[in-house]
Amino acid sequence: MTDYLGLLRLDGRVALVTGGGAGIGRATCQALAQAGAHVAVADIDQAAADRVAQEIGRGEAHRLDVADEAEVAAVVDAIVDRHRRIDVLVNNAGLGGRIATIELPTERWRQVHAVNLDGSFFCARAVGRHMLAAGRGAVVNLASIMGLVGGGHYPNLAYHSAKGALVNFTRALACEWAAAGVRVNAVAPTFARTRLTEPLLADAEMAERLLRDTPMGRFVEPEEVAAAILFLASDAARMITGVTLPVDGGWTAR
Ligand SMILES: NC(=O)c1ccc[n+]([C@@H]2O[C@H](COP(=O)([O-])OP(=O)(O)OC[C@H]3O[C@@H](n4cnc5c(N)ncnc54)[C@H](O)[C@@H]3O)[C@@H](O)[C@H]2O)c1
């Protein structure tokens, strides 16, 4: 009989998690490490990456700005030099920008796309080379419910645009790499209480409205997003590619 729980194990595999120093990225590092993976925790905040690598025990920390393609190439080279493989990439580093579109500075528009979208491309391209050569690998992108719907109760155009693009990035790359054995999926979480959403959710009236629109009536925990990422990264999802899995308590089902 198939060892179904064993399919979730990642023993002997190497994972790279961007933005792994906090929030959903940190929980993802914990989940992948608990499943047996060696985790490269990469974050623009070196101290945060160090803390998480230490916390999970089986990992290493890298200072990385995903928007800098030379840095991405150097970190991926360092991981492959050391381990001769990368099996899992989680494109988690991201930031938003709650601001009316007519006030949105070009610089902020570019920055939000640079981190969420360009960063995912730089990492997928650099890691993909090794995954394609190995004939196996799993990429998981952090989209958002805001990549699946247009209405978020407040203006955040650059974020909607970048996360929406990531949904089709996920499909297109999945099609391109499927025959080579490399899967590409995404998760689309609803709101989690992290540093990213702190200013938004500190607005009690806003938090109340968001909860009213969530059929399950609560925010998602970072650990619940990490569990979905672990599933998509593992062989339990070995026939799944190109999907964006909502982890949203029913937000997009309405
Ligand atoms: N929190 C939510 O409600 C929510 C909902 C949907 C999607 N997401 C997505 O999940 C991902 C993680 O969000 P979070 O809420 O955990 O955020 P967070 O702000 O708590 O953590 C993000 C981490 O990424 C790091 N980071 C920021 N810019 C970086 C860069 N250029 N290069 C490398 N690392 C960088 C930060 O230092 C931080 O450690 C993001 O892509 C976000 O858009 C979050």
Side-chain angles (χ1 to χ4, degrees):
M1 191 167 66
T2 298
D3 172 15
Y4 290 101
L5 286 179
L7 291 176
L8 286 165
R9 298 290 315 174
L10 297 175
D11 302 290
R13 303 196 195 168
V14 174
L16 167 59
V17 180
T18 69
I24 293 168
R26 172 171 170 252
T28 300
C29 292
Q30 292 169 344
L32 301 182
Q34 205 180 101
H38 177 91
V39 182
V41 186
D43 203 290
I44 199 165
D45 179 345
Q46 171 84 61
D50 287 339
R51 267 196 307 278
V52 173
Q54 208 159 35
E55 197 175 274
I56 61 176
R58 50 171 78 236
E60 63 192 52
H62 295 268
R63 196 251 161 220
L64 172 67
D65 176 359
V66 294
D68 182 328
E69 59 183 308
E71 275 186 31
V72 169
V75 166
V76 170
D77 282 352
I79 296 166
V80 172
D81 279 352
R82 188 175 306 167
H83 303 286
R84 304 275 138 220
R85 63 192 294 160
I86 298 192
D87 302 282
V88 173
L89 165 66
V90 182
N91 277 318
N92 168 77
L95 41 87
R98 179 188 179 189
I99 184 169
T101 299
I102 57 170
E103 310 293 341
L104 175 61
T106 306
E107 234 353 273
R108 185 65 180 162
W109 165 270
R110 290 201 177 121
Q111 188 192 19
V112 170
H113 283 84
V115 177
N116 290 288
L117 190 55
D118 299 5
S120 299
F121 162 60
F122 296 151
C123 291
R125 185 178 57 184
V127 170
R129 267 190 202 108
H130 302 286
M131 289 182 169
L132 293 176
R136 58 153 197 276
V139 177
V140 183
N141 299 315
L142 264 290
S144 164
I145 51 171
M146 297 311 156
L148 296 172
V149 302
H153 300 314
Y154 54 90
N156 200 3
L157 186 73
Y159 190 77
H160 276 80
S161 163
K163 294 303 192 187
L166 269 177
V167 171
N168 220 31
F169 168 121
T170 299
R171 293 192 190 104
L173 197 57
C175 292
E176 187 180 333
W177 288 354
V182 180
R183 298 182 300 103
V184 185
N185 291 293
V187 290
T190 185
F191 297 86
R193 284 195 184 277
T194 64
R195 211 164 46 198
L196 180 84
T197 54
E198 210 176 290
L200 180 75
L201 301 183
D203 174 349
E205 209 177 302
M206 175 63 72
E208 175 69 21
R209 280 178 68 196
L210 297 174
L211 287 176
R212 263 204 310 273
D213 276 349
T214 313
M216 287 182 72
R218 65 175 177 85
F219 298 127
V220 69
E221 299 295 332
E223 292 76 9
E224 293 169 325
V225 182
I229 293 171
L230 168 61
F231 165 66
L232 290 172
S234 77
D235 290 346
R238 67 189 173 200
M239 191 55 178
I240 300 176
T241 197
V243 308
T244 295
L245 176 64
V247 188
D248 68 352
W251 179 289
T252 52
R254 289 170 308 137

